Amino acid sequence: MRLKWLWWFGALLLLGAASVAALFLFFRHKYPPEKIRQELEAALTSRSGYEASIGGLDYTWSGDIRLTKLCLKPRLFVSDRCFVHVDNLRLSVSLLSLVRKKPDITSLSADRLRIELFADSAKQPAGKEAAKSWQRSVAQPTGTVGGNTTALNVGRIDIEAGEILQDIPSVKLKGRHGFSLHLKGNESKTLALNGEIEGQGGFQLNAEFSGMGFAAISAALHERKLPPMLTLKGEIMLKALNLAALDRRLARADGKISFTRVGEQVVFSPENLSVQLSSPAMKVLLSGRFPVAPGDLSVRSAQGNVAQQGLNAQFENVDFSPGKPVSGNFRIAGELKVLAAPRDVAGNFAADGKIQDGHLSAQISLRDFALPLAGQRLTAPVLSAQFADDVVLLKSQRLSLGRNSFIANMTITRRAQGPLIRGSLAFGEVVLEESAAAGSAPTGEQSATSADVALRVSAAKLHYGKWQLSDITAQIKLAEDGLNVENGSLIVARGRLNFHYRSRGASKQLRFTAAGLKADEVSRMLALKGTVYGLIHAQGVFEWSGQGSDAFVKTATGYVSGSLGRGKIREGFFQKGILTGPLNRLEDKFQDIEFASAEFSAVAKNGFIELKRAYFDAEEWNLALRAESDSAGQGKASLTFRFKSRFVENVASPLHLGISSRLDGEFYDLPFACRGNILSAACYKQNW
């Protein structure tokens, strides 16, 4: 009995299998793979709007359909290259749904899916035209989207080892980029997308959405708007993703961005997103809320926070649309050293401002500002400035350079070729140490800069060693070709000195004129052995190389000439030691000798000095000196003293002085010569 039942059960199984096989053979005869291939090609072409082709199709009795060489191509393109190419595509579908022309695809899996972005070789678009061509052909395909043609319903999509080839010259991120995609669900769908951009990091997108079939997806892509019934939420994880293609000031980003649909916008919310900036070089954490309209990708009423150690920035009411200027409000506070500033700057800053239609304005304040500058420290306990677009305005701001305070009124304009700085610096009483002055002299490299600076500098008084200067004004200009000090003017030795100074690398030039300088004060400042009294009027030009007084003495080339009005000489080097023997009786006459006028001229060449003429004239006597020496005073000199007999009549007669034979007309002529230290009286010997 058992065998009989087993026999009947086996027969039924064989009959069922034969029926299924017969049905499958009938189905293949009635609906051969070629016919289904054509149906799918037509459906894809109609539903996607692209020209679709399928190289081959086969299916099994279980409902698995395998496609090979699937290609989707923009209809406006002439090139044979595919926009989407799949080597092998597997569909799990009910065969009866194909008969009803409403394919019910439970799953779709693709192997070697490739998306190619390229310039149409036939049309040969170049530059931006390539991108525009894709916008016309890919973003706006032709077709009966959402019409009453064959419907496609997919329950699950799996794409592994996908690839995007970006080959449009004008579009950034060229190369081969990998991705994988997993989409499942019917009414409510979940999407997982992983991407790896060649050499630029990667990302992971996870999303949940509902109320959106494939027809709605296609319509949304074409019309750039959210379907009314769509619900959407998810997150994007960035993995060292390079953002330089979006903005060259950005580098890499790591972290999570959540998003959800709110009304007609998708709100993106970064949560401590780590963003590495390239300009300025720093890493910041970004948090906030960015509502984006899918239609034009505009951002409305964004708000958030950017933080970094030592820096915090808040922004609100930020509006942005592609191709249009940004608007919004911001507040930034932090330490100056975190900005793109000299790393040894110190202090804190705060800025409150807004951007209106791309125009930026802000009020900036600094506290405890300090910056090493020219061997000293530039400081300000409190400093405020106004900022508008590329212009910073400082008005009546008090700063100090070392111990010397000044008032600054400046306008700083940012330019591509370097900042443009205009304004004035007004010092009070300045004490300048000799060591600080030597260290502050600009080197050849420092004097050339990309900044274009023109400042009017003034000081009520300046103390520099033995020099006492007052009422100082000058126009300072600093640019790429070097430093100029123009229209310089100051009071020294109770007279007026006007000057022009130029620096080009290591090369320097000084031009000056002097009027009414008291010679005795100049003698004291120059530490001369003797003292000359009178008012000096002079002019000169000198050129030299290097820094400091030593470089000037050793390399100076130029001239100086001038004259003195009525005056006198006291303690001159020729008044002691030169007049030996019987002439020694004349020393008392030279202790305080007056003259009616004097003139002098000298030239210098590479540190070698030639005193062309030093001439003192009085009614009863005159003195002429010529000399040549190096910077140490070593050289040769000739001095001629001429006087009338009545000049010495109260001292001794020329006969007693032993010079009766030196009479030349009305004057006795006494020449002296020196070889050695021309500033030493002991060097001069009688030359007769």
Side-chain angles (χ1 to χ4, degrees), residues 367-608:
R367 289 189 177 275
D368 303 323
F369 170 75
L371 174 68
L373 181 66
Q376 302 188 56
R377 285 175 66 81
L378 180 66
T379 60
V382 179
L383 190 65
S384 63
Q386 294 177 336
F387 186 87
D389 289 333
D390 293 327
V391 178
V392 178
L393 177 64
L394 281 77
K395 187 175 181 180
S396 299
Q397 296 301 301
R398 181 174 293 276
L399 298 95
S400 296
L401 184 60
R403 295 183 300 167
N404 306 307
S405 63
F406 62 94
I407 302 296
N409 289 279
M410 299 173 63
T411 300
I412 305 172
T413 304
R414 189 181 67 172
R415 305 179 305 167
Q417 63 270 39
L420 180 70
I421 303 175
R422 298 290 185 267
S424 64
L425 305 177
F427 288 84
E429 188 167 353
V430 177
V431 177
L432 189 60
E433 302 292 339
E434 294 187 41
S435 58
S440 65
T443 65
E445 290 76 9
Q446 290 171 327
S447 62
T449 176
S450 59
D452 184 345
V453 182
L455 296 174
R456 180 172 177 79
V457 179
S458 62
K461 293 182 180 181
L462 186 147
H463 306 276
Y464 174 49
K466 296 180 179 180
W467 292 85
Q468 309 294 315
L469 312 178
S470 61
D471 193 20
I472 305 166
T473 59
Q475 189 76 20
I476 296 178
K477 294 184 178 181
L478 183 63
E480 290 186 1
D481 59 348
L483 171 67
N484 283 359
V485 180
E486 301 176 352
N487 301 319
S489 180
L490 57 87
I491 292 177
V492 58
R494 305 189 190 184
R496 175 66 64 178
L497 179 69
N498 298 315
F499 61 93
H500 298 265
Y501 171 80
R502 184 183 70 184
S503 175
R504 298 292 183 272
S507 177
K508 313 291 187 295
Q509 183 189 78
L510 175 66
R511 296 176 177 271
F512 66 91
T513 60
L517 275 62
K518 295 199 68 173
D520 57 314
E521 295 193 12
V522 174
S523 298
R524 186 184 71 252
M525 293 176 184
L526 294 176
L528 298 179
K529 292 184 178 180
T531 302
V532 179
Y533 292 83
L535 297 180
I536 299 175
H537 300 269
Q539 57 278 325
V541 176
F542 288 100
E543 296 181 352
W544 71 99
S545 297
Q547 307 302 320
S549 58
D550 288 343
F552 176 82
V553 170
K554 293 177 181 179
T555 66
T557 296
Y559 77 91
V560 60
S561 63
S563 63
L564 287 82
R566 180 172 294 276
K568 61 183 177 180
I569 304 173
R570 178 182 294 172
E571 302 292 334
F573 74 91
F574 60 88
Q575 293 169 316
K576 289 186 177 182
I578 294 180
L579 302 175
T580 59
L583 293 175
N584 185 255
R585 300 179 186 182
L586 298 176
E587 283 193 357
D588 290 340
K589 291 288 292 185
F590 282 92
Q591 292 305 307
D592 200 357
I593 189 170
E594 295 185 357
F595 58 86
S597 64
E599 60 183 46
F600 59 89
S601 65
V603 296
K605 186 174 183 180
N606 296 326
F608 190 80

Side-chain angles (χ1 to χ4, degrees), residues 265 289-291 299-304 316-320 327:
Q265 297 175 318
R289 186 176 184 274
F290 298 82
V299 178
R300 292 288 181 267
S301 300
Q303 61 185 40
E316 61 183 4
N317 300 323
V318 175
D319 295 338
F320 169 74
S327 296

Side-chain angles (χ1 to χ4, degrees), residues 107 113 314 330 495 584 654:
S107 68
L113 184 148
Q314 295 92 36
F330 64 88
N584 185 255

Side-chain angles (χ1 to χ4, degrees), residues 618-632:
E619 182 180 350
E620 296 179 345
W621 66 272
N622 61 64
L623 184 147
L625 175 66
R626 293 174 59 88
E628 296 179 0
S629 76
D630 60 17
S631 58

Side-chain angles (χ1 to χ4, degrees), residues 8-86:
W8 279 105
F9 182 72
L12 288 174
L13 286 177
L14 289 174
L15 181 60
S19 299
V20 171
L23 180 62
F24 178 69
L25 291 175
F26 171 78
F27 190 88
R28 286 186 68 92
H29 176 73
K30 184 70 175 177
Y31 301 100
E34 179 61 21
K35 183 176 181 181
I36 297 179
R37 184 188 69 81
Q38 294 174 0
E39 276 288 324
L40 282 177
E41 275 189 356
L44 286 172
T45 298
S46 175
R47 303 301 295 176
S48 68
Y50 300 107
E51 183 179 332
S53 65
I54 301 173
L57 180 146
D58 196 8
Y59 58 85
T60 66
W61 63 272
S62 61
D64 286 343
I65 300 178
R66 292 180 173 84
L67 309 180
T68 59
K69 307 299 182 184
L70 171 63
C71 173
L72 297 179
K73 188 180 75 170
R75 291 184 176 182
L76 296 180
F77 273 25
V78 179
S79 172
D80 291 332
R81 294 176 65 176
C82 301
F83 169 45
V84 178
H85 181 275
V86 185

